[in-house]
Amino acid sequence: MGDQEIRAALDRHWEASAAGDQDTEHEIYHDDVITDYPQSGERIHGRRNLQALRSHHPAKLTFTIRRILGSGDLWITEYVIDYDGKPASTISIMEFRDGKVAHETQYFADPFAPPAWRAQWVESMPHV
């Protein structure tokens, strides 16, 4: 599977995620995928468990993709997940094997107010 096919699969994955289409969202994963959530120290084994976990999420989720970068077997998506109105900046690192995701690591970061001491060196970013 080439870069264009993987990028198309990623686009379908994120569109399905945003639409709540659980079956299409999880087509991208190998049956034996491992998904890691480093902040909570959780590891999910298998596509079935990953789909079950995500399909039981209590919040209404929306997604805004900022960018997708990658080639070959390594792809990174930077996006914002909105959990019932609370945004979390998120990074998904996907490692592909034979055209499907074999390992994914997701990092979630809550927004915070910038400290006043560095105001002279920064500017505000537009909100996504």
Side-chain angles (χ1 to χ4, degrees), residues 22 26 44 46-57:
Q22 292 289 319
H26 291 88
I44 303 116
R47 180 173 56 174
R48 282 174 148 205
N49 287 332
L50 182 60
Q51 185 170 348
L53 178 147
R54 289 179 176 166
S55 67
H56 286 88
H57 200 290

Side-chain angles (χ1 to χ4, degrees), residues 24-67:
T24 302
E25 175 184 355
H26 291 88
E27 287 176 352
I28 200 168
Y29 297 103
H30 271 288
D31 288 341
D32 64 349
V33 67
I34 293 174
T35 303
D36 292 331
Y37 295 163
Q39 281 94 340
S40 61
E42 296 172 291
R43 173 168 281 169
I44 303 116
H45 290 272
R47 180 173 56 174
R48 282 174 148 205
N49 287 332
L50 182 60
Q51 185 170 348
L53 178 147
R54 289 179 176 166
S55 67
H56 286 88
H57 200 290
K60 180 184 180 329
L61 307 177
T62 59
F63 296 81
T64 304
I65 303 297
R66 297 191 75 172
R67 61 184 167 160

Side-chain angles (χ1 to χ4, degrees), residues 17 41 43 46 86 91 127:
S17 295
R43 173 168 281 169
K86 184 177 184 229
I91 298 291
H127 292 285

Side-chain angles (χ1 to χ4, degrees), residues 88-100:
S89 295
T90 308
I91 298 291
S92 168
I93 302 169
M94 291 180 167
E95 299 170 60
F96 285 77
R97 180 183 79 234
D98 303 323
K100 292 207 178 240

